[in-house]
Amino acid sequence: MMKRILVGLLAATAMAAAGGAWAEEPVKVGLILPMTGGQASTGKQIDAAVRLYMQQHGDTVAGRKIEIILKDDATVPDNTKRLAQELIVNDKVNFIAGFGITPSALAAAPLATEAKVPEIVMAAGTSIITERSPYIARTSFTLAQSSVIIADWAAKNGIKKVVTLVSDYAPGADAQNSFKERFTAAGGQVVEELKVPLASPDFSPVLQRAADAKPDALFVFVPAGQGGTFAKQYSERGLDKAGIKLIGPGDVTDDDILNNMGDSMIGTVTAHFYSATHPSAMNKDFVAAYKKLMNGQRPGFMAVGGYDGIHLIYEALKKTGGKTDGDALIAAMKGMKWESPRGPISIDPDTRDIIQNIYVRRVEKVGGELYNVEFATVEAVKDPIKAAKK
Ligand code: PHB
């Protein structure tokens, strides 16, 4: 009898040592996304990219199964907060991830701190977010990263007078302020600063004011998914033919919708971290696999934030040997470097924010489709707003 128990115990130990996942609970990731509401295109892209990554890399890491619990916050930050609370308290998730807009990422931050649960920001782009909790790491971008680069490009390319037009919330303010500071320091002039509401914006009145100011360029930031509405009103007002160059961070020409925005977008110059036509082998494979999963739909930059976000979770778990202690996971993420479909990236060990290349791109027709064609690269860009605080 005793011998049989001993043999049984030995067998169990051997199985566990061999990495048998049977004894362990799954690692739970609460993925909170806007699957409906104004930013639904962001939710759709990130959800797809996470599923793609898991198809390609399997659903077991360091002997532990990964379970994704997807929740739709409908682009409402109060929902994000309630869902994060429920996921942490009831589902006992080991990570919260996603966050389609800045107010959602901010709403969850105190909960991440209190529960010591890593919050992986895959979409939102306001600088301040990563400062709101030591448990936040970001795989998306900051608006300032792109806005200062397009300011440099504009100043060097004969643009002197600019009107800015941004979505009236935190990332819009970051985009506008970081552009203006850099552009005016280089001798440029911002002659008018226009804003539109985040929800259901009507661009017509502001576009009229922009046209009346007769600037050399219109700098525009609208969040992912809104570029289509913007482009329609932009060409209806004839701004594409008024000799005003369209510039900005690349959110407005999101690959997810760019090809349907019409030829009035051709010649638009933006700075951004991802183009579906980024010329790397890894990106070609990523685009092909994403299209296969999504009925031919092209991945946009939000998809890449999601793909890298789940990669960060996998790699952190590998480093901790499957342990889910929040402090150990965040420590594992700091300084991590890898190749993304966007190019080389890393997590800044000081700020937990992303360091990445920013590419200057021009909308062109390639093989009958509109693409953001990269023509210049600024390597390893840190968030300029946080860098300036140092
Ligand atoms: C944000 O809310 O932080 C946000 C959303 C979409 C973008 C950029 C920023 O394209």
Side-chain angles (χ1 to χ4, degrees):
M1 178 66 186
M2 196 60 198
K3 198 173 162 196
R4 212 181 303 151
I5 291 172
L6 241 165
V7 169
L9 264 173
L10 277 173
T13 317
M15 275 174 79
W22 56 272
E24 300 250 40
E25 283 276 290
V27 173
K28 293 183 185 171
V29 180
L31 184 58
I32 311 175
L33 291 170
M35 300 305 293
T36 55
Q39 295 307 108
S41 74
T42 294
K44 179 201 70 184
Q45 288 189 56
I46 294 178
D47 170 45
V50 168
R51 284 188 282 119
L52 174 62
Y53 186 91
M54 294 180 71
Q55 275 180 16
Q56 293 174 330
H57 296 84
D59 64 356
T60 305
V61 183
R64 299 193 61 180
K65 209 163 168 75
I66 307 294
E67 185 187 324
I68 304 287
I69 306 176
L70 175 64
K71 298 284 179 186
D72 174 15
D73 68 14
T75 326
V76 178
D78 283 345
N79 291 347
T80 319
K81 189 170 182 182
R82 177 178 49 77
L83 291 167
Q85 178 83 27
E86 287 170 7
L87 285 162
I88 291 170
V89 175
N90 303 342
D91 297 293
K92 312 232 172 335
V93 295
N94 306 105
F95 297 86
I96 50 175
F99 309 102
I101 53 172
T102 289
S104 296
L106 294 177
L111 304 173
T113 304
E114 198 189 305
K116 300 185 192 299
V117 167
E119 172 177 337
I120 310 304
V121 176
M122 298 170 160
T126 303
S127 175
I128 195 84
I129 291 171
T130 45
E131 292 172 42
R132 288 293 174 84
S133 169
Y135 293 91
I136 293 180
R138 169 153 50 196
T139 57
S140 48
F141 54 91
T142 75
L143 270 307
Q145 279 179 322
S146 298
S147 299
V148 300
I149 305 294
I150 197 67
D152 289 344
W153 182 85
K156 283 186 199 131
N157 284 274
I159 292 171
K160 295 193 167 56
K161 242 174 84 173
V162 170
V163 170
T164 59
L165 165 53
V166 303
S167 191
D168 191 10
Y169 75 127
D174 272 8
Q176 177 191 276
N177 296 340
S178 53
F179 173 81
K180 186 179 178 183
E181 195 182 312
R182 190 80 157 236
F183 186 60
T184 52
Q189 207 191 345
V190 172
V191 293
E192 195 148 13
E193 296 172 21
L194 303 169
K195 294 186 173 71
V196 285
L198 171 63
S200 318
D202 177 8
F203 296 102
S204 298
V206 285
L207 284 172
Q208 191 55 53
R209 282 178 61 186
D212 292 346
K214 297 194 171 36
D216 301 318
L218 175 63
F219 169 96
V220 59
F221 163 71
V222 290
Q226 285 191 2
T229 317
F230 171 82
K232 190 165 174 286
Q233 296 185 5
Y234 173 82
S235 62
E236 276 170 9
R237 294 253 147 204
L239 263 80
D240 54 328
K241 294 179 188 73
I244 302 170
K245 191 148 195 76
L246 193 57
I247 60 172
D251 307 71
V252 66
T253 55
D254 184 0
D255 271 296
D256 187 45
I257 51 173
L258 175 60
N259 196 40
N260 297 321
M261 285 168 67
D263 288 357
S264 66
M265 285 293 114
I266 291 175
T268 298
V269 176
T270 57
H272 214 47
F273 64 92
Y274 180 69
S275 166
T277 188
H278 176 65
S280 73
M282 185 184 197
N283 185 50
K284 285 200 176 77
D285 292 348
F286 171 72
V287 172
Y290 185 96
K291 281 184 163 177
K292 197 168 163 214
L293 180 72
M294 294 294 283
N295 297 320
Q297 183 81 32
R298 211 191 274 179
F301 62 91
M302 289 301 190
V304 179
Y307 195 75
D308 288 324
I310 189 72
H311 177 82
L312 182 64
I313 290 172
Y314 270 47
E315 291 302 310
L317 281 166
K318 281 185 197 166
K319 264 186 144 176
T320 63
K323 289 203 182 63
T324 50
D325 171 70
D327 290 296
L329 287 168
I330 284 289
M333 291 176 194
K334 289 180 181 176
M336 205 174 266
K337 287 185 169 63
W338 68 98
E339 193 196 343
S340 154
R342 69 184 99 175
I345 62 175
S346 65
I347 300 298
D348 189 331
D350 298 329
T351 63
R352 293 158 279 98
D353 216 335
I354 188 160
I355 303 175
Q356 58 189 336
N357 292 352
I358 298 295
Y359 307 91
V360 190
R361 317 94 49 86
R362 187 179 286 108
V363 175
E364 289 173 17
K365 217 162 221 180
V366 181
E369 289 187 30
L370 295 176
Y371 277 100
N372 294 295
V373 178
E374 296 170 353
F375 62 88
T377 305
V378 182
E379 285 178 5
V381 179
K382 291 188 181 189
D383 172 41
I385 294 178
K386 275 193 281 293
K389 285 181 188 166
K390 286 207 161 168

